[in-house]
């Protein structure tokens, strides 16, 4: 099948590459000429395990192409994916200007019946807005003879495992009332449903809400567990024991119940805010979602609070080794990352930061530039030299078995603040460390 994907960001690039890999012929359209040129040369703008070889192989095979020519893209695709960003406005609502701009572009160039698939995360009712936009442009062109369907097909990709999630989806949500569109999507996704039918077909608005509900549910689990961690600290309990105790209940499970310093990234913060805004627009007070967001924002400050308390507020002139900048492992994404909240608080208090992350160094440099109180180090060990304490913010696999003797020798005192509970407190005590973690 010929497929067009508008947007070569995180979702569009992964989806386009995976569809090409199973044999579809995919054209990815982007307005950024420099980005298109880089992609055509095999330079991938984001870090995602497995994505680079997938893009290069399918580009070399001719099944994947990148262009700025929107007319070419519309002409090519039997289906048109909209996979552009929906950044939050100042009030937290999703900004649909890019989605509607693509809808207008498709309508300007379409010369045959089309299935328009909204892959972007959008508020309930967006399909109606896309439909109205396309209708208006076709009427102005005098082409009301052309018919089209607008389908909601939300993505459920996790950064760090997006390629695998796309290749082996848990479910494929299709929001449409059109048999023609449903049949087209069944053909498109047939390679991903060979062993079992993973497609769930529903009305458009339910599909749009499903995406937000899923992310908000996961965010709720994280915020709930962080709330329990704060209780555990004050009650003298161990949140890691509690986690094992509740996770063994199959109704709860172990996913997304790890305590830490809050969630970040491009999805959870934005989607919780957007659904709160949507609820406000229909005069509904989303109390649970507001509490989820409030707990998460406060949780991002808890690591600094521990540091501040330990030093009795005397942080000026202190130097901290920071392990982890990305909001989670296996990505270079620092959007809404807890590391940013921590570093900015440390700088404001007069402290210095020596940081390392396996993938997010360039992003950190882009965000903060050159500062006298911020050093990016080539290895995790290099951050330790002359530092007063080690602070762990992201649970990268390469941080799990460090040389503790080296850490002790390099730091001015054997002190670790662990925002991800990577080590056992008793073991750290035996090794001679003062070890402050989450909920223990």
């Amino acid at each position: 099948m010929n497929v067009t994907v508008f947007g070569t960001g995180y979702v569009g690039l992964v989806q386009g590459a995976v569809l090409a890999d199973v044999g579809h012929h995919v054209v990815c359209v982007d307005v950024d000429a420099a980005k298109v040129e880089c992609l055509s040369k095999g330079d991938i703008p984001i870090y995602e395990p497995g994505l680079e070889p997938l893009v290069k192989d399918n580009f070399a095979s001719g099944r994947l192409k990148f262009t700025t020519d929107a007319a070419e893209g519309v002409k090519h695709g039997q289906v048109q994916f909209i996979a552009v960003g929906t950044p939050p406005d100042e009030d937290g609502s999703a900004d649909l200007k890019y989605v509607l701009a693509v809808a207008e572009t498709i309508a300007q160039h379409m010369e045959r019946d089309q299935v328009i698939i909204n892959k972007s995360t959008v508020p309930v009712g967006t399909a109606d807005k896309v439909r109205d936009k396309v209708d208006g442009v076709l009427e102005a062109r005098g082409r009301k003879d052309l018919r089209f369907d607008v389908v909601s097909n939300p993505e459920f990709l996790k950064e760090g495992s997006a390629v695998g999630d796309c290749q082996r989806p848990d479910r494929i949500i299709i929001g449409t009332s059109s048999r023609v569109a449903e049949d087209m999507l069944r053909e498109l996704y047939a390679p991903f449903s060979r062993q079992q039918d993973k497609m769930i077909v529903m009305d458009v608005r339910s599909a749009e809400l499903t995406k937000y509900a899923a992310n908000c549910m996961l965010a709720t689990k994280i915020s709930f567990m962080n709330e329990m961690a704060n209780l555990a600290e004050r009650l003298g309990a161990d949140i890691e024991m509690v986690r094992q105790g509740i996770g063994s209940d199959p109704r709860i499970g172990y996913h997304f119940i790890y305590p830490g310093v809050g969630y970040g990234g491009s999805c959870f913060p934005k989607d919780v805010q957007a659904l709160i805004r949507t609820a406000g627009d229909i005069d509904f007070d989303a109390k649970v979602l507001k509490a989820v967001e409030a707990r998460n924002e406060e949780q991002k400050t808890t690591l600094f609070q521990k540091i501040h308390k330990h030093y009795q507020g005397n942080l000026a002139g202190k130097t901290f080794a920071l392990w982890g900048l990305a909001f989670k492992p296996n990505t270079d994404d620092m959007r809404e990352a807890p590391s940013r909240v921590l570093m900015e608080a440390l700088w404001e208090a007069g402290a210095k930061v020596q940081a390392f992350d396996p993938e997010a160094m360039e992003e950190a440099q882009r965000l903060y530039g050159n500062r006298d109180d911020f050093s990016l180090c080539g290895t995790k060990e290099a951050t330790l030299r002359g530092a007063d304490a080690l602070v762990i913010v992201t649970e990268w696999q390469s941080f799990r078995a460090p040389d503790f003797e080296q850490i002790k020798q390099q730091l001015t005192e054997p002190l670790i603040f662990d925002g991800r509970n990577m080590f056992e407190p008793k073991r750290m005590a035996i090794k001679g460390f003062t070890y402050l973690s989450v909920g223990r």
Side-chain angles (χ1 to χ4, degrees):
M1 185 180 292
N2 289 343
V3 179
T4 296
V5 180
F6 281 88
T8 58
Y10 191 84
V11 173
L13 186 58
V14 172
Q15 184 68 75
V18 168
L19 287 173
D21 199 51
V22 297
H24 297 301
H25 291 269
V26 180
V27 170
C28 291
V29 182
D30 202 289
V31 296
D32 188 337
K35 189 177 185 182
V36 166
E37 183 178 358
C38 286
L39 286 167
S40 298
K41 293 178 179 177
D43 296 332
I44 311 302
I46 58 174
Y47 173 74
E48 179 62 38
L51 181 59
E52 184 173 343
L54 200 67
V55 170
K56 288 182 176 179
D57 290 350
N58 284 283
F59 181 82
S61 74
R63 290 190 301 271
L64 182 61
K65 181 180 179 181
F66 302 99
T67 183
T68 58
D69 189 340
E72 176 190 355
V74 176
K75 182 179 179 180
H76 170 82
Q78 295 165 265
V79 294
Q80 308 281 327
F81 276 94
I82 300 177
V84 293
T86 53
D89 276 339
E90 292 182 5
D91 62 0
S93 61
D95 188 344
L96 298 178
K97 64 183 177 184
Y98 302 117
V99 170
L100 296 177
V102 173
E104 183 175 359
T105 297
I106 294 170
Q108 287 171 343
H109 296 291
M110 61 185 279
E111 296 293 340
R112 59 177 172 177
D113 295 351
Q114 285 285 2
V115 174
I116 301 171
I117 305 169
N118 200 346
K119 200 74 179 175
S120 302
T121 300
V122 293
V124 177
T126 299
D128 295 335
K129 295 179 180 179
V130 170
R131 189 176 294 107
D132 290 344
K133 176 64 73 173
V134 176
D135 263 332
V137 174
L138 291 180
E139 185 173 4
R141 288 180 58 203
R143 293 305 310 268
K144 291 290 286 182
D145 58 304
L146 297 174
R147 70 176 299 277
F148 65 94
D149 292 302
V150 180
V151 178
S152 175
N153 174 218
E155 54 84 16
F156 297 97
L157 308 181
K158 300 184 294 294
E159 291 192 44
S161 60
V163 172
D165 290 343
C166 205
Q167 292 172 327
R168 297 175 295 278
D170 297 319
R171 73 286 201 201
I172 301 169
I173 303 295
I174 303 296
T176 184
S177 57
S178 164
R179 174 58 67 177
V180 171
E182 180 182 337
D183 289 345
M184 190 80 77
L185 271 290
R186 287 192 180 278
E187 180 182 348
L188 178 72
Y189 285 123
F192 308 98
S193 299
R194 293 181 64 188
Q195 294 183 342
Q196 66 182 90
D197 185 4
K198 297 180 179 180
M199 190 170 289
I200 303 173
V201 181
M202 59 185 71
D203 64 276
V204 173
R205 285 183 170 243
S206 294
E208 290 172 332
L209 183 56
T210 295
K211 168 61 178 180
Y212 279 103
N215 277 356
C216 289
M217 180 64 188
L218 297 176
T220 299
K221 291 184 74 174
I222 295 170
S223 281
F224 174 82
M225 205 60 190
N226 284 332
E227 184 126 305
M228 293 301 103
N230 284 288
L231 279 173
E233 285 187 11
R234 290 157 176 79
L235 294 172
D238 185 340
I239 193 62
E240 290 298 325
M241 295 295 99
V242 175
R243 178 181 63 79
Q244 293 178 36
I246 67 173
S248 60
D249 185 330
R251 297 171 300 176
I252 298 173
Y254 290 103
H255 294 299
F256 290 87
I257 62 168
Y258 288 84
V261 287
Y263 58 76
S266 62
C267 294
F268 289 2
K270 176 174 68 70
D271 293 352
V272 171
Q273 291 171 13
L275 196 52
I276 290 171
R277 176 63 183 182
T278 295
D281 289 342
I282 56 174
D283 198 28
F284 178 78
D285 186 8
K287 295 178 180 178
V288 172
L289 295 180
K290 289 178 180 178
V292 168
E293 182 182 37
R295 166 51 56 207
N296 191 62
E297 289 305 302
E298 187 170 337
Q299 195 68 19
K300 290 181 181 181
T301 70
T302 55
L303 206 48
F304 175 77
Q305 291 170 13
K306 286 182 170 66
I307 296 170
H308 188 273
K309 181 179 179 180
H310 178 83
Y311 287 103
Q312 298 180 328
N314 299 316
L315 296 176
K318 297 293 183 183
T319 299
F320 293 93
L322 188 74
W323 286 6
L325 293 163
F327 84 94
K328 63 179 285 189
N330 296 321
T331 182
D332 58 355
D333 195 343
M334 288 183 64
R335 285 175 288 185
E336 303 284 345
S339 65
R340 298 177 64 175
V341 175
L342 173 62
M343 288 193 298
E344 289 165 15
L346 289 172
W347 293 331
E348 187 175 348
K352 296 181 179 180
V353 173
Q354 299 174 171
F356 170 76
D357 187 284
E359 295 296 337
M361 304 286 270
E362 289 186 13
E363 179 65 4
Q365 181 68 47
R366 185 189 71 81
L367 287 169
Y368 293 111
N370 297 320
R371 301 176 56 115
D372 293 337
D373 52 7
F374 184 40
S375 300
L376 290 167
C377 301
T379 64
K380 64 179 185 292
E381 291 80 11
T383 66
L384 302 169
R385 296 176 192 139
D388 293 286
L390 168 62
V391 186
I392 302 174
V393 187
T394 313
E395 65 276 31
W396 283 93
Q397 195 69 18
S398 59
F399 297 163
R400 293 189 179 278
D403 184 337
F404 289 107
E405 283 305 311
Q406 183 183 27
I407 294 174
K408 191 184 295 184
Q409 290 170 8
Q410 295 285 340
L411 296 177
T412 60
E413 64 174 304
L415 173 60
I416 298 176
F417 297 92
D418 184 357
R420 297 297 178 181
N421 289 0
M422 297 190 72
F423 311 120
E424 286 297 323
K426 289 182 180 178
R427 181 180 172 213
M428 299 308 294
I430 291 171
K431 291 181 178 294
F433 283 90
T434 299
Y435 178 71
L436 301 171
S437 53
V438 179
R440 299 189 290 182

